[in-house]
Amino acid sequence: MENNRQAEVDALSQRVLEAFVVRARRVEEHSLAADWDALVALTTMQMTVVQLDDGETLIRQVFPDEETVESAAARIRPILLEGDSCFYQKALKALGYFCRELPQDAAWIRATRAEWRSRVSPATPEEAGYWVAVSNTLTGQNYDLDRHKLAMAWIYGDVVHHDTTRRDEGNAFGLFERFRGAVPLVAWAMVGAIELLNYIRALHADGVLQLRQEVLDQPVALKSTTWEHSAQLYFAPVGTQAPKDASLPPSKDWIQLGRTADLSGFRTEAGGQLLRPVRSTNMPELPSPEEVEAARTPAGGWKRDQLAAWGIPWPPPKGWKDELATRWKAAQRAGVVPTNPAPSPDPGPVQGTLDFD
């Protein structure tokens, strides 16, 4: 019975750590974390004091743009929430369970837990770092709020929710004051999450933890937002039953879209162009022998940019025309129409009834 109980705790702790690792890796991929020193500097509320010639003193702070901090807040938010599986303190508790017989690691975990509480969940306004007091000269009302509450008003009132209670609480101080309070909290939460992530990685490498490798390797943030896949396209009249098995070719009712198809007939429900023919910059043109000859200049040669479009280097190597002709004939035998084909005949009214939604 005891063994079953320990196995359950082991499994639960493992799930918590793995959930944290996935989310913390996404935080690590944020642009604010690309410059570690700059991220750490944001946690310290650094200010510049400017003394003007007229005796006036200016206090200045420079922050990243709000949209960048907002996206960082969205990435770190599940780590701040007690109810989420990747909550920071849950991860520390799970780590403490696995390190319960390792005094040095257990001491690090205790210190880290205390620091997180003081920086992210301060118990008093004094622990929050600073507080702001403002007066309304028209009504005579006075307001004061500590940095942590200002930060929460921005995060939950302006950004990830529209919490009217928090927003009303911070409304008298203005959007920028709420944002100013949130920046060090978001930055420190990012720093704390990434440092804990690296500690977990080190324990995994030492064999103390046995995390699933895909948790450490799976993509967690997009490097590129251009979606491009090699594919075969098929079309059919509206109402044709869609294929249900992705591993099998479509039924005979579906026609493969060839390179000679008139793409202008493929429209969205709103009437916009659905498919647009664009030649990849990595894909050279494939001319017929007749097209090669037709491209000769009056001097009897070929222009450099024309050869480049065909994938031929400059100066052209010996036998380049024969190579192009061989490739063109091979494409014909394979049923692939070469680039710059003759205009295709009107495919008929059937294309006007296609539905690609």
Side-chain angles (χ1 to χ4, degrees):
M1 195 67 164
E2 183 64 28
N3 289 338
N4 290 340
R5 173 59 181 163
Q6 183 171 344
E8 290 176 2
V9 177
D10 285 351
L12 175 61
S13 300
Q14 175 109 354
R15 287 196 298 271
V16 168
L17 285 180
E18 291 183 345
F20 174 83
V21 166
V22 171
R23 173 54 63 161
R25 287 181 56 223
R26 184 167 173 80
V27 171
E28 184 182 44
E29 292 290 336
H30 193 273
S31 59
L32 279 181
D35 187 335
W36 183 255
D37 291 338
L39 178 62
V40 172
L42 288 177
T43 71
T44 61
M45 292 296 295
Q46 295 180 357
M47 299 181 182
T48 301
V49 177
V50 181
Q51 299 284 356
L52 302 181
D53 292 339
D54 61 3
E56 185 179 1
T57 300
L58 298 178
I59 303 174
R60 176 181 298 155
Q61 290 177 277
V62 180
F63 300 103
D65 64 271
E66 187 187 22
E67 191 172 297
T68 299
V69 180
E70 182 175 340
S71 66
R75 291 197 179 187
I76 199 68
R77 178 176 167 269
I79 290 177
L80 300 176
L81 294 177
E82 293 184 19
D84 277 27
S85 60
C86 58
F87 177 47
Y88 185 92
Q89 295 285 33
K90 284 183 180 178
L92 274 181
K93 182 178 179 180
L95 191 63
Y97 170 75
F98 286 116
C99 297
R100 59 191 182 278
E101 296 181 3
L102 302 173
Q104 186 173 348
D105 295 309
W108 183 89
I109 292 168
R110 286 194 297 271
T112 302
R113 181 182 292 111
E115 185 176 21
W116 176 271
R117 285 173 176 165
S118 65
R119 296 297 298 263
V120 178
S121 302
T124 66
E126 290 75 18
E127 286 185 0
Y130 69 86
W131 65 94
V132 179
V134 296
S135 296
N136 188 321
T137 56
L138 296 178
T139 65
Q141 289 181 292
N142 296 310
Y143 306 90
D144 66 273
L145 211 60
D146 64 68
R147 178 197 62 80
H148 184 260
K149 289 182 178 178
L150 286 167
M152 292 296 105
W154 182 80
I155 293 174
Y156 292 105
D158 295 300
V159 178
V160 297
H161 291 306
H162 196 82
D163 186 324
T164 54
T165 301
R166 289 185 185 274
R167 209 169 185 281
D168 290 345
E169 186 179 34
N171 196 47
F173 303 88
L175 175 60
F176 203 107
E177 200 63 62
R178 298 193 295 271
F179 170 71
R180 188 170 79 96
V183 171
L185 186 148
V186 171
W188 198 91
M190 292 179 68
V191 168
I194 295 170
E195 287 181 341
L196 179 54
L197 170 64
N198 287 329
Y199 203 90
I200 292 171
R201 282 171 170 154
L203 291 176
H204 175 76
D206 290 344
V208 176
L209 303 175
Q210 284 84 40
L211 304 180
R212 289 177 298 140
Q213 195 59 40
E214 58 264 30
V215 170
L216 298 164
D217 298 337
Q218 64 183 244
V220 293
L222 294 174
K223 302 295 185 182
S224 171
T225 53
T226 298
W227 187 87
E228 185 175 77
H229 286 270
S230 176
Q232 293 179 336
L233 295 180
Y234 292 83
F235 64 93
V238 175
T240 303
Q241 185 175 6
K244 295 182 178 179
D245 190 336
S247 64
L248 299 176
S251 68
K252 57 182 178 57
D253 296 323
W254 290 83
I255 303 171
Q256 186 171 355
L257 187 68
R259 296 178 67 182
T260 60
D262 178 12
L263 301 185
S264 64
F266 295 90
R267 300 278 176 176
T268 65
E269 284 188 350
Q273 183 86 26
L274 180 64
L275 302 176
R276 301 177 184 274
V278 177
R279 171 161 290 279
S280 170
T281 55
N282 298 323
M283 185 184 300
E285 296 177 11
L286 188 56
S288 67
E290 292 76 17
E291 288 171 326
V292 172
E293 290 303 317
R296 280 184 184 269
T297 66
W302 287 265
K303 293 182 179 180
R304 180 181 300 194
D305 57 353
Q306 179 62 79
L307 291 173
W310 294 339
I312 304 300
W314 183 268
K318 184 178 179 180
W320 66 270
K321 287 195 295 181
D322 292 337
E323 179 187 347
L324 279 182
T326 299
R327 286 165 49 201
W328 185 81
K329 291 175 182 177
Q332 277 201 320
R333 288 194 299 272
V336 179
V337 178
T339 304
N340 301 326
S344 59
D346 187 349
V350 65
Q351 290 209 13
T353 66
L354 299 179
D355 183 0
F356 271 73
D357 285 345

